[in-house]
Amino acid sequence: MQKMEKFTEYQANREKHWDTVARQLDQWKGWGGYYRSRLEKAYRFIIPSGMDILEIGCARGDLLASLEPRHGVGIDLSAEMIERAQLRHPELHCIHADIHEVELQEKFDYIILSDLINDLWDVETVFHKIRSWSKPNTRIILNYYNRVWEWPLALAQKLHLATPTLPQNWLSEDDVKNLLYLGGFEIIREWEEVLSPLPIPILAPLCNRFLVRTWLFRWLAMT
């Protein structure tokens, strides 16, 4: 009973938080626009248009819509985020639900978890759920923050430069690999993205296209 109460409180706090962030984003942009643009390019490089795609933690639906899915489904804990996603991208099917509890009766070509797993109550449970929504050739694509960015991101949030978050899990690469294995998935590829999250002329393209691929700098990548 105590564990269920903690889970309910955890989810309620996060739903309230992301509802607030959704309202803030109506007028505030922060520094995240360039970072999100880099992620969209990375995802578009992997996922062809015209696929059946599920995004868990879809927020306002911008990443999912940029992939031009044949059938795009977005799930988010925040009702405010889902309301904005449906208004911004009426072609998507947006669901306000807790991913730990929602049930779907369909399977997808790609399932996306972008900057989400560090915010989940039970990552293993979520991986088991998405296994049931996967075809034999489905690809699960996820990105998450590198732990070396924990303090820089905390400072940026205090300065109102980055989207505020609640305390995170900060999973390591090995943690994620083990959880994927327990969920029944095989890792095909992993790599680093975004060394510079700011659109600094000349420097940002150099960092994000070239330096982030080198052995020295890739350990400092943001995601």
Side-chain angles (χ1 to χ4, degrees):
M1 180 65 70
Q2 187 177 17
K3 183 177 180 180
M4 180 58 67
E5 290 175 354
K6 288 183 177 179
F7 167 73
T8 301
E9 181 182 6
Y10 184 93
Q11 293 301 85
N13 287 339
R14 270 157 171 72
E15 181 171 10
K16 180 179 179 181
H17 171 79
W18 290 112
D19 280 348
T20 300
V21 171
R23 291 189 289 268
Q24 291 174 344
L25 289 175
D26 291 340
Q27 298 179 342
W28 175 82
K29 303 302 180 185
W31 72 347
Y34 180 74
Y35 170 74
R36 289 189 290 271
S37 176
R38 287 296 308 173
L39 287 184
E40 286 180 9
K41 289 181 180 179
Y43 274 88
R44 287 200 300 269
F45 181 77
I46 303 166
I47 304 176
S49 61
M51 297 288 105
D52 295 335
I53 305 173
L54 168 66
E55 183 180 8
I56 303 168
C58 66
R60 299 188 299 173
D62 296 338
L63 172 59
L64 180 58
S66 74
L67 302 174
E68 301 179 345
R70 176 178 63 181
H71 176 50
V73 177
I75 300 173
D76 203 280
L77 181 64
S78 165
E80 296 279 354
M81 288 290 190
I82 287 297
E83 179 181 348
R84 285 155 178 78
Q86 202 67 80
L87 289 172
R88 292 162 71 92
H89 309 289
E91 74 279 9
L92 302 178
H93 178 46
C94 301
I95 303 171
H96 171 223
D98 183 343
I99 187 56
H100 298 85
E101 299 173 346
V102 67
E103 298 296 336
L104 299 177
Q105 304 301 319
E106 52 188 319
K107 297 181 184 292
F108 300 88
D109 301 312
Y110 291 88
I111 300 176
I112 297 171
L113 299 89
S114 180
D115 291 330
L116 176 70
I117 58 172
N118 285 335
D119 211 43
L120 293 175
W121 171 263
D122 189 337
V123 178
E124 184 179 352
T125 293
V126 172
F127 283 169
H128 279 291
K129 289 185 74 73
I130 64 178
R131 186 71 177 84
S132 67
W133 304 331
S134 302
K135 307 172 186 177
N137 62 340
T138 293
R139 296 292 180 261
I140 314 301
I141 306 176
L142 56 92
N143 68 276
Y144 53 98
Y145 287 129
N146 182 349
R147 188 157 196 167
V148 301
W149 280 81
E150 181 175 1
W151 294 112
L153 282 171
L155 176 60
Q157 290 168 11
K158 287 182 179 180
L159 296 174
H160 302 290
L161 297 174
T163 302
T165 60
L166 294 177
Q168 303 285 291
N169 294 314
W170 291 103
L171 299 172
S172 69
E173 287 187 38
D174 287 339
D175 292 333
V176 177
K177 289 177 183 178
N178 290 334
L179 289 167
L180 284 167
Y181 175 78
L182 292 173
F185 294 106
E186 174 189 0
I187 297 174
I188 296 175
R189 185 187 173 199
E190 57 183 295
W191 70 98
E192 295 74 25
E193 287 284 350
V194 189
L195 187 59
S196 170
L198 298 175
I200 303 172
I202 301 177
L203 180 61
L206 174 65
C207 289
N208 296 325
R209 295 179 187 175
F210 304 107
L211 292 183
V212 75
R213 312 297 178 204
T214 64
W215 70 271
L216 178 62
F217 290 98
R218 67 188 184 91
W219 304 109
L220 302 176
M222 190 174 187
T223 190

